[in-house]
């Protein structure tokens, strides 16, 4: 990751980090390409590993998309990671598993109050290009498509239960964002416009309001 991006992440973390909440994110190991997790808390589960890293390092690692950034090397351990989206672009199943796994000790007796899944825009169904550069972009788009996972989770037993009790919410802008490339860093205004149009739909607005009320008091769903 560039020095400028690293500096921006450090500044954002220093300004906005709230230590009251636990955080877990997905990354891809640089050596084996296996998915892994970086946490702001220490896991006690015997199958999981703890990594000593700063929040800005974790944010850099989970955003280190190939073709755009280099692998991120943790300062303390020397472990190297790529963007978690390579293996788990929609980590909804990993989030549910983590809650269940850590809940055995930390949150015994409590249920999952609310699960919110936020997409980065739907991907166009396009033909795979025969050129090398076009193929790379096509593969990257396929890897970053999270809707298949979202649909599969919604149809799963856990997803159906949470949805039936209004405890699962999925938000994803259906049109517009798919025309933006990952390296269009100056397209934030377009992203804002497409997202605002999506949020203007009454049905989406109602879902957001219900979700916000539940996040404010997640125990009310128990």
């Amino acid at each position: 990751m560039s020095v400028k991006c690293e500096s921006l992440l450090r500044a954002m973390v220093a300004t906005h980090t709230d230590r009251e909440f636990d955080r877990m994110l997905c990354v891809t190991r640089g050596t084996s390409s296996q998915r892994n997790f970086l946490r702001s808390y220490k896991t006690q589960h015997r199958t999981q590993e703890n990594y000593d890293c700063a929040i800005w390092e974790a944010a850099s690692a989970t955003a280190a998309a190939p073709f755009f950034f280099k692998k991120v090397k943790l300062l303390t351990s020397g472990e190297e990671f790529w963007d978690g989206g390579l293996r788990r672009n929609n980590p909804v199943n990993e989030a549910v598993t983590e809650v269940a796994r850590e809940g055995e000790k930390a949150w015994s007796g409590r249920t999952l109050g609310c699960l919110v899944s936020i997409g980065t825009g739907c991907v166009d169904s396009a033909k795979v290009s025969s050129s090398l550069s076009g193929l790379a972009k096509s593969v990257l788009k396929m890897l970053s498509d999270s809707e298949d996972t979202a649909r599969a989770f919604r149809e799963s037993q856990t997803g159906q239960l949470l949805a039936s009790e209004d405890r699962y919410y999925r938000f994803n802008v259906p049109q517009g964002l798919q025309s933006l490339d990952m390296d269009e860093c100056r397209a934030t205004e377009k992203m804002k416009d497409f997202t605002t149009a999506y949020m203007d739909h009454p049905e989406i607005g109602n879902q957001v309001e219900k979700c916000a009320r539940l996040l404010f008091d997640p125990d009310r769903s128990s």
Side-chain angles (χ1 to χ4, degrees):
M1 182 159 286
S2 69
V3 174
K4 184 176 181 180
C5 287
E6 180 180 315
S7 299
L8 288 173
L9 281 171
R10 284 176 179 266
M12 289 174 64
V13 169
T15 304
H16 300 292
T17 298
D18 186 340
R19 298 185 182 275
E20 180 181 353
F21 301 101
D22 291 332
R23 300 168 179 83
M24 183 272 289
L25 52 80
C26 290
V27 290
T28 302
R29 293 187 70 89
T31 53
S32 64
S33 298
Q34 295 298 309
R35 68 105 172 90
N36 217 314
F37 307 106
L38 299 179
R39 302 173 175 86
S40 63
Y41 52 92
K42 297 294 184 182
T43 177
Q44 302 299 320
H45 202 275
R46 60 186 179 277
T47 64
Q48 300 298 301
E49 187 172 352
N50 289 307
Y51 296 96
D52 185 12
C53 68
I55 293 179
W56 71 265
E57 288 182 285
S60 299
T62 198
F67 309 118
F68 299 100
F69 299 108
K70 297 179 180 179
K71 289 181 291 187
V72 171
K73 186 175 184 178
L74 302 185
L75 296 178
T76 301
S77 65
E79 298 274 1
E80 293 184 327
F81 296 105
W82 287 111
D83 176 12
L86 289 174
R87 297 302 302 271
R88 297 293 189 275
N89 196 52
N90 182 347
V92 61
N93 291 300
E94 283 67 34
V96 172
T97 299
E98 180 78 358
V99 169
R101 185 165 50 214
E102 297 299 316
E104 294 175 3
K105 297 181 179 179
W107 309 303
S108 180
R110 297 188 64 183
T111 59
L112 178 58
C114 183
L115 177 61
V116 184
S117 175
I118 301 176
T120 56
C122 297
V123 177
D124 277 333
S125 298
K127 293 182 179 180
V128 177
S129 174
S130 57
S131 68
L132 184 59
S133 60
L135 177 61
K137 288 187 176 181
S138 297
V139 170
L140 193 58
K141 282 194 173 184
M142 292 176 194
L143 289 171
S144 60
D145 185 7
S146 60
E147 279 306 294
D148 285 346
T149 304
R151 284 190 290 269
F153 177 79
R154 177 61 179 80
E155 295 170 0
S156 70
Q157 184 176 359
T158 301
Q160 290 183 35
L161 174 62
L162 292 174
S164 68
E165 297 177 351
D166 288 331
R167 292 190 288 138
Y168 172 62
Y169 295 90
R170 169 71 177 176
F171 301 108
N172 198 15
V173 179
Q175 294 293 331
L177 297 186
Q178 68 268 39
S179 63
L180 303 178
D181 291 329
M182 291 182 66
D183 57 351
E184 288 192 63
C185 58
R186 295 181 177 82
T188 53
E189 283 302 314
K190 290 183 180 179
M191 294 173 64
K192 181 179 178 181
D193 290 343
F194 292 133
T195 304
T196 300
Y198 169 70
M199 298 290 287
D200 279 345
H201 288 281
E203 181 181 350
I204 301 301
N206 291 336
Q207 290 292 307
V208 170
E209 183 175 355
K210 291 171 64 177
C211 178
R213 290 181 183 276
L214 193 54
L215 288 174
F216 180 75
D217 184 15
D219 289 327
R220 67 196 293 261
S221 65
S222 302

